[in-house]
Amino acid sequence: MDDRVRRHAEILVDYCTEIRSGDTVLVRAPRPAEDLVVALYERIGERGAHPMTEWLNPRAGRAYARAMDAEDFATKDHALAAMRETDVVILVKASSNAAEGSDVDSAKGRASSRAKQPILQERLETRWVITQHPTPADAQRAELSTEAWADYVYGAIDRDWDGQRERQQRVADALDDADAVRLVSGDDTDLRLSIAGMTTINDGGRENMPGGEVATSPDPGSVEGEIRFDVPLYRHGREIRDVTLVFEEGVVVDHAASHNEVALTSLLETDEGARRVGELGIGMNRGIDQITDNILFDEKMGQTVHLALGCAMEECVPDDRPFNESAVHADVLADVSRDSYIEVDGEVIQRNGAFWFEDEFDETPEPGFGSATGVTDYCP
């Protein structure tokens, strides 16, 4: 077994979930991730915890969904009961065919998401983490060799997470004190939203491995403007390209995509909350330096911004602030490395992918580009 697999398991058990003696642990993984599951069991056994594995079978899931009627999907009470008895959940991604569910009717996908919502809510009460095991299928989607993809995955995972978290805290502090955020990129993105009173997450690799983003939930009624996402969105095995969303009073009132627009429409029709924004995330992991069409990595890249359509993050929304509820939480991603900036209360904190505390940050934009000048309020 590759030593990096055992190191990956060590990080998941000791750092991400801090598994202790007596913990009940659920490992949910597909068969291509068997090496990682074996390494996890070895590490979990050393901790005196009690694991069980739910082997995911995308082919079986496809067959089941195609045979079901949409109205017959319901919450699986036995799965819900098991989740209520679970302390730790480790979710592993590893594709053998990333498009396995692409020919399942969208209405069934929506029905399945709604049925799983109570189980998802219980899982969020555990100590959980989602991660990636490298496979040839995912390497192919990333347009990398199998070896290069493995190097990329482990290079993003095995990092100085204490140092990463400290660096990200500067941006988290800026957002925590802020009322308004504006995103501008090229001629097709100008989006404004309120984060007043919301809490900011500093994702230093606890619930996502790799981590590397700062995120919060906006007021769901505050989002105004238009935004274009130039990184593909994958939904139920379908690739959706060049997504454009127009918001009025927080709601998507118009949308388009150059490929699979029907799948985008289906996502937005899941429920009322699917047309609103549940998350604003800013990528900060400089160890992730290229788009690979894998959202777990791409959303952490240091020159990207993402919104999540659907459910807000509970840890970001105080009890006295509006919370967007939905059965979906779908991240859509934009590259902000060129002709772009992020304003926080009128001050630019990032321009062309560089933050104000980085050497690459240009305080003086080209004439006609951007409305704000340098940053002073958040400088040390």
Side-chain angles (χ1 to χ4, degrees):
M1 183 185 295
D2 190 329
D3 287 342
R4 296 177 298 181
V5 178
R6 286 196 169 89
R7 173 60 179 156
H8 189 181
E10 177 186 349
I11 292 169
L12 294 171
V13 170
D14 297 347
Y15 174 75
C16 300
T17 58
E18 298 180 330
I19 291 175
R20 303 181 290 266
S21 177
D23 278 339
T24 54
V25 183
L26 171 63
V27 179
R28 182 180 291 169
R31 284 289 179 182
E34 185 173 357
D35 278 357
L36 179 57
V37 174
V38 171
L40 282 168
Y41 267 56
E42 183 177 59
R43 196 76 181 180
I44 292 167
E46 291 172 356
R47 296 290 167 271
H50 310 296
M52 62 174 285
T53 300
E54 179 183 341
W55 289 109
L56 301 179
N57 189 323
R59 288 183 61 205
R62 169 188 175 274
Y64 174 74
R66 285 172 62 89
M68 283 282 282
D69 292 328
E71 58 269 22
D72 289 338
F73 282 91
T75 301
K76 298 174 184 177
D77 290 338
H78 57 301
L80 181 59
M83 190 62 74
R84 286 173 175 157
E85 298 298 321
T86 300
D87 298 311
V88 176
V89 180
I90 299 175
L91 306 168
V92 182
K93 297 171 61 180
S95 296
S96 54
N97 178 359
E100 187 64 60
S102 60
D103 55 357
V104 174
D105 182 61
S106 296
K108 296 180 180 182
R110 295 195 301 272
S112 177
S113 294
R114 289 191 292 266
K116 292 175 182 176
Q117 184 66 9
I119 301 171
L120 171 61
Q121 289 303 119
E122 286 295 330
R123 192 256 289 169
L124 294 175
E125 298 299 319
T126 70
R127 304 195 309 276
W128 62 274
V129 64
I130 183 168
T131 194
Q132 178 80 46
H133 181 74
T135 65
D138 290 315
Q140 186 175 32
R141 190 168 77 179
E143 298 184 349
L144 294 172
S145 68
T146 302
E147 182 178 355
W149 172 238
D151 290 344
Y152 183 87
V153 168
Y154 295 124
I157 286 172
D158 194 0
R159 301 185 63 77
D160 174 10
W161 289 110
D162 289 336
Q164 180 73 29
R165 191 166 55 250
E166 181 178 346
R167 177 174 170 273
Q168 291 174 183
Q169 191 59 44
R170 302 178 72 172
V171 175
D173 289 342
L175 294 180
D176 261 340
D177 295 335
D179 292 329
V181 175
R182 183 185 182 196
L183 310 177
V184 177
S185 183
D187 298 327
D188 46 20
T189 293
D190 191 345
L191 195 74
R192 298 164 300 285
L193 47 86
S194 171
I195 58 171
M198 299 298 191
T199 301
T200 306
I201 293 174
N202 180 349
D203 172 20
R206 296 291 187 184
E207 295 175 343
N208 291 273
M209 181 49 67
E213 69 171 293
V214 172
T216 190
S217 290
D219 182 320
S222 71
V223 184
E224 296 280 348
E226 180 175 353
I227 185 166
R228 178 178 176 271
F229 300 97
D230 47 8
V231 179
L233 163 67
Y234 287 86
R235 191 70 184 169
H236 299 306
R238 296 177 175 89
E239 181 188 58
I240 308 170
R241 297 196 204 109
D242 300 317
V243 172
T244 298
L245 302 175
V246 179
F247 290 87
E248 292 181 4
E249 297 181 351
V251 179
V252 175
V253 295
D254 195 13
H255 65 277
S258 67
H259 180 70
N260 261 333
E261 186 173 317
V262 171
L264 176 61
T265 302
S266 175
L267 167 64
L268 294 169
E269 291 177 348
T270 301
D271 50 37
E272 184 178 351
R275 287 185 174 270
R276 296 182 181 271
V277 176
E279 176 192 352
L280 164 67
I282 301 173
M284 295 191 67
N285 188 336
R286 296 300 188 195
I288 300 174
D289 57 5
Q290 67 182 95
I291 297 295
T292 60
D293 290 346
N294 185 311
I295 193 65
L296 182 63
F297 291 78
D298 295 347
E299 70 174 1
K300 315 303 190 316
M301 185 174 168
Q303 297 177 338
T304 61
V305 171
H306 62 275
L307 302 181
L309 294 168
C311 195
M313 298 179 291
E314 289 188 359
E315 58 268 53
C316 293
V317 185
D319 291 340
D320 61 345
R321 302 299 295 152
F323 184 91
N324 191 52
E325 294 187 7
S326 176
V328 299
H329 182 92
D331 293 304
V332 275
L333 190 70
D335 184 338
V336 291
S337 61
R338 297 181 60 188
D339 296 337
S340 304
Y341 63 92
I342 303 173
E343 279 183 9
V344 174
D345 289 344
E347 299 284 352
V348 174
I349 68 163
Q350 186 200 73
R351 180 178 285 114
N352 296 338
F355 295 96
W356 80 91
F357 51 82
E358 295 179 312
D359 292 340
E360 297 82 3
F361 180 75
D362 181 5
E363 293 195 24
T364 308
E366 296 178 2
F369 173 65
S371 61
T373 56
V375 171
T376 56
D377 289 359
Y378 304 129
C379 291

